[in-house]
Amino acid sequence: MKMTREQLENQQIWIYAIALLIGGTVGLLSPEAGGSLDAGISPLIAILMYGMFTQIPFLNLGEAWSNLRFMTALLIANFIAVPVIVWVLITLFPLTPPVLLGLCLVLLTPCIDYVIVFTQLGKGNEKLMLASTPVLFVMQMLLLPVYLWLFIGGEITGIVRVGPFLEAFLFLIVAPLILAILTQVWAGRKTTGARFLNWTAWLPVPFMAFVLIVVVASQIGKVYSDLDVIVRVIPIYALFLIVSPLISRSIAALFKLNTGEGRALIFSAGTRNSLVVLPLALALPGDWARIAAAVIVTQTIVELVGELVYIKVVPRLMK
């Protein structure tokens, strides 16, 4: 039986879990083989980003603002409430600067890709979530530097080298974004473009799996000696997954969102954007890149488990 794209997307949690196991096994059993995959990280992430961005309706930004009440609640949850939660967590759990940077990168940026599928599985309004993705992407790119400066301060200026950071941002985010928008324009004008755009919808799930395999396989050997660092951030991620839905539910009640909107809000605030910020972490110098990338990949692992719980709990939390 031929698999449809929707069926593939609905199985992506298990696909990513298998990818993480494969990457971990390769990296631990054969460090040389895992290390050799390091060169494939950037090209694979670039393709993944392009596939993700082609599915975001950048040409229909007006649609996102058609439900102003939901959009206001979404922005408050992701860019005011979540940063406050993160600030409290990093205050309760003091961290070294590289770990803190990785944690801030991943927790301060809302997910713009597989959160749509999770919202659908959790019986939320996934169409409204899809329409909101362009706004979420633009806002997080604008606010992330501000948050890093507020949370980490001057320490980051002496560590982050502008050249590699800017190169990663341009090659792995800006270039795929421009190509994706051009593809959408082409699809709106030509039948061939529309068919190609439909084909790109198959890219995110397999390339997300490829990226996870390559990143974990190439990095796990490097962070094995820093296992205590990884163990320390797991409770933070777990607490975030617990606290975020409760805060989001209060915001949904404040704005009188309906059930589908409230569930979408909970999934958006609880699901983070690990793959978009991973290139930025890998552009850091030396040990900072290794530790920050490990912290981000750890969040992905914890989040995948958390999403399985969310799918069951969120419909009960927002009846």
Side-chain angles (χ1 to χ4, degrees):
M1 186 177 73
K2 188 176 180 181
M3 176 178 281
T4 65
R5 180 167 57 83
E6 289 75 17
Q7 289 172 328
L8 178 67
E9 290 176 347
N10 288 338
Q11 298 300 319
Q12 63 182 302
I13 298 175
W14 306 109
I15 293 172
Y16 300 155
I18 293 169
L20 289 167
L21 287 174
I22 293 173
T25 302
V26 171
L28 291 174
L29 295 182
S30 180
E32 297 81 8
S36 67
L37 296 175
D38 194 68
I41 294 176
S42 292
L44 286 173
I45 289 180
I47 297 171
L48 170 65
M49 292 300 167
Y50 170 72
M52 284 167 41
F53 291 153
T54 55
Q55 307 313 304
I56 298 175
F58 288 106
L59 303 183
N60 298 315
L61 279 172
E63 184 181 350
W65 294 101
S66 61
N67 189 332
L68 188 60
R69 188 170 53 182
F70 172 77
M71 182 55 60
T72 304
L74 190 72
L75 294 177
I76 289 174
N78 278 295
F79 300 111
I80 296 178
V82 167
V84 170
I85 294 171
V86 174
W87 179 80
V88 171
L89 289 173
I90 63 176
T91 302
L92 293 174
F93 297 87
L95 303 167
T96 61
V99 176
L100 178 60
L101 178 55
L103 187 138
C104 287
L105 280 172
V106 72
L107 288 186
L108 293 171
T109 50
C111 182
I112 55 171
D113 48 355
Y114 54 65
V115 66
I116 298 163
V117 175
F118 291 146
T119 302
Q120 180 185 36
L121 294 174
K123 298 180 174 60
N125 191 329
E126 78 279 2
K127 292 180 180 177
L128 199 55
M129 195 67 258
L130 174 64
S132 306
T133 50
V135 177
L136 289 177
F137 175 74
V138 173
M139 289 296 293
Q140 66 184 269
M141 288 297 105
L142 291 175
L143 291 176
L144 183 58
V146 178
Y147 289 141
L148 293 180
W149 179 77
L150 287 173
F151 283 38
I152 304 175
E155 290 182 77
I156 195 172
T157 57
I159 296 297
V160 177
R161 294 175 296 177
V162 176
F165 208 74
L166 185 61
E167 183 181 340
F169 182 74
L170 291 175
F171 176 68
L172 299 177
I173 295 177
V174 175
L177 176 62
I178 292 173
L179 287 174
I181 293 174
L182 291 175
T183 302
Q184 291 179 10
V185 172
W186 179 33
R189 296 178 178 176
K190 301 288 183 180
T191 305
T192 306
R195 284 200 297 265
F196 184 79
L197 184 63
N198 287 333
W199 175 82
T200 62
W202 287 86
L203 294 176
V205 175
F207 275 90
M208 174 81 158
F210 293 152
V211 167
L212 289 174
I213 291 172
V214 170
V215 169
V216 173
S218 62
Q219 302 298 317
I220 195 168
K222 300 175 185 176
V223 303
Y224 191 70
S225 58
D226 299 311
L227 201 56
D228 59 320
V229 172
I230 304 307
V231 171
R232 281 182 214 160
V233 298
I234 292 177
I236 299 176
Y237 293 146
L239 279 172
F240 178 85
L241 287 168
I242 294 169
V243 173
S244 176
L246 302 177
I247 302 297
S248 300
R249 188 176 185 274
S250 300
I251 295 172
L254 179 66
F255 282 87
K256 296 181 172 60
L257 302 183
N258 64 37
T259 305
E261 293 168 346
R263 290 171 180 170
L265 183 71
I266 290 173
F267 273 98
S268 179
T271 311
R272 302 290 88 193
N273 207 0
S274 57
L275 266 297
V276 167
V277 296
L278 183 60
L280 305 181
L282 293 172
L284 295 168
D287 289 344
W288 280 67
R290 185 192 76 237
I291 295 173
V295 168
I296 289 171
V297 172
T298 301
Q299 189 276 336
T300 301
I301 298 171
V302 175
E303 182 174 84
L304 289 175
V305 176
E307 294 295 338
L308 294 176
V309 178
Y310 271 20
I311 290 168
K312 300 295 183 182
V313 172
V314 171
R316 298 177 184 177
L317 191 64
M318 282 294 298
K319 292 184 179 179

